[in-house]
Structure formats: structure tokens, C-alpha cells
Amino acid sequence: DADVTQTPRNRITKTGKRIMLECSQTKGHDRMYWYRQDPGLGLRLIYYSFDVKDINKGEISDGYSVSRQAQAKFSLSLESAIPNQTALYFCATSDPRGTSGVYNEQFFGPGTRLTVL
Amino acid sequence: DAKTTQPTSMDCAEGRAANLPCNHSTISGNEYVYWYRQIHSQGPQYIIHGLKNNETNEMASLIITEDRKSSTLILPHATLRDTAVYYCIVRGPNFGNEKLTFGTGTRLTIIP
């Protein structure tokens, strides 16, 4: 079973709709992240969370909100989707204690492909 | 975090060593070099990291120049499954600032 899962994997929605992307992890990591990737570009950080009481904005948080419901769950919401939010969205986790043996090793989910019409 | 510069794309013959360069001339003393790769729209995958010494693991080797201003990721015997975008990332140690800054990376194509 995958350690980091994302649902849905693909979603097509219309402008103005509210949509939620969900991320779950079984790695027991405290830290979770949401990135978006546009075609031909690298990943850009939207939000990150160091634990269930901690939420931080990334470089492109406008138009997005997040909820950290539990250590294992981190959801990304688009309150009113717009076409330029069409992108590939990735969730990731990391362990600050470095029990993987690697500082800053982030473990990524399979991605959610979102299309806003 | 220091900025990195990578070639946009590279080709390598299957079975040969793939050498991917990265320039990070503004790297500071406590910043590590990390490499990730992304295979065809999958989530990025950690490959290797280093500070100043050369590093090797089961996936790759990392050669960092003595002045630390550049590095090379080496895939010793490239296979078709190594076709991916490779990202070189430079950042400080884990002091609560967890952001990884992904540039556009190098698109490596392994040729049969």
C-alpha cells in the first residue's frame, strides 16, 4: 500500500465551484505539504503544516486554504476554482527527526490532476 | 536558499553513465545539495544529498567540487526507467524551514 495517498487522482470542475483535494499518509510524519505543478515547470509550495496545530503559507497560497484534520490528513481546498488553478497537485510528508536518515527527504503522493473549465 | 542552474535537457545511451551537472555558485557553508527526480508526472522521488564529501547510495553518486559551487549527479548504468526530470536543490539543514524549492530541472532521456 502507498504511504502517501491522494484523492481524487483526477478531477474536472467548473469555474466557481468549491473543491477539496485530500491527502492521507501512513508514515507517521508530522510535516505535510501541498505543491502545485504547472506544465513544464517545477513544483511550487502552496501550504505546509508542521503539526496539527501549525499551518503555514507557501509561496502561492492565494486562492487556496488547507485543513489539518489529524496527523495523517491534510486537505487542500479551492473555495472558488478558476481556470488558472488547473495544474497537477502533490501532497508530501517529511519527518523532522530525520528517522529516514535524511534531513529534508520529502515523500510525495501520486498527484491529483485538476482541470478547471 | 541558493539558486541552482541545470541544463534543460540531456540524452544518455542505455547502459552508460549519466552525468547531470548543477551549478550552485552562491551556496553557503551550511547548505546541502539534494537531488530529486520526477518520472512522468509522478511525485518527485529523493535520490541523494551531500554537504561537501562525495556520496554514493544504491541509486546514484554525488560529486561535489571542492569549492562546493557545483556538483554532478552520476547514474552509473542508466536504464530506460531512469528517464525523468532531475532536480538539483540547495538548502540549509533542518532548522524548521522545510521548504524545497524546485526549479525546472534537467529532463534526462535514456536512449535505447
Side-chain angles (χ1 to χ4, degrees):
Chain A
D1 288 340
D3 295 319
V4 184
T5 58
Q6 294 183 233
T7 56
R9 295 295 312 280
N10 289 282
R11 181 71 183 267
I12 300 173
T13 191
K14 294 183 178 180
T15 297
K17 295 290 188 181
R18 183 180 188 275
I19 185 166
M20 179 181 288
L21 308 183
E22 301 193 6
C23 176
S24 295
Q25 54 113 346
T26 59
K27 299 189 75 65
H29 290 171
D30 287 328
R31 302 188 174 191
M32 299 186 73
Y33 313 81
W34 276 106
Y35 292 88
R36 70 175 273 177
Q37 185 174 34
D38 295 283
L41 301 179
L43 281 70
R44 292 183 292 168
L45 184 64
I46 306 172
Y47 271 97
Y48 59 105
S49 169
F50 285 173
D51 63 39
V52 294
K53 300 177 183 177
D54 178 84
I55 301 290
N56 303 281
K57 292 183 177 180
E59 58 183 308
I60 54 162
S61 59
D62 287 349
Y64 301 94
S65 62
V66 291
S67 173
R68 184 78 184 270
Q69 302 95 321
Q71 186 202 41
K73 296 185 182 295
F74 193 34
S75 300
L76 177 71
S77 293
L78 288 68
E79 296 300 326
S80 179
I82 56 177
N84 75 1
Q85 291 177 313
T86 293
L88 189 55
Y89 290 84
F90 289 103
C91 173
T93 75
S94 72
D95 177 3
R97 296 161 294 176
T99 55
S100 68
V102 179
Y103 283 146
N104 287 319
E105 180 178 5
Q106 293 191 8
F107 297 84
F108 286 80
T112 294
R113 187 170 297 280
L114 176 65
T115 302
V116 183
L117 302 176
Chain B
D1 296 332
K3 178 180 171 59
T4 62
T5 304
Q6 299 177 251
T8 302
S9 64
M10 295 180 63
D11 294 339
C12 179
E14 187 178 17
R16 305 298 290 269
N19 296 275
L20 292 91
C22 180
N23 286 317
H24 32 79
S25 59
T26 60
I27 193 170
S28 58
N30 66 346
E31 288 183 316
Y32 287 73
V33 180
Y34 292 81
W35 283 85
Y36 279 73
R37 73 179 182 184
Q38 185 177 23
I39 298 173
H40 189 55
S41 297
Q42 297 178 19
Q45 175 192 25
Y46 164 84
I47 302 172
I48 198 168
H49 80 292
L51 181 62
K52 56 179 72 174
N53 297 320
N54 298 338
E55 302 288 344
T56 296
N57 64 18
E58 64 278 3
M59 291 181 67
S61 295
L62 175 61
I63 309 298
I64 302 174
T65 58
E66 190 169 346
D67 63 8
R68 303 209 323 121
K69 294 185 177 181
S70 65
S71 59
T72 301
L73 178 74
I74 301 172
L75 309 177
H77 303 287
T79 71
L80 298 178
R81 288 174 294 183
D82 292 322
T83 292
V85 177
Y86 288 76
Y87 297 99
C88 171
I89 299 168
V90 172
R91 57 151 302 129
N94 186 19
F95 291 150
N97 183 3
E98 292 286 288
K99 294 174 286 184
L100 289 176
T101 301
F102 289 81
T104 53
T106 296
R107 182 173 298 277
L108 175 67
T109 303
I110 306 302
I111 310 297

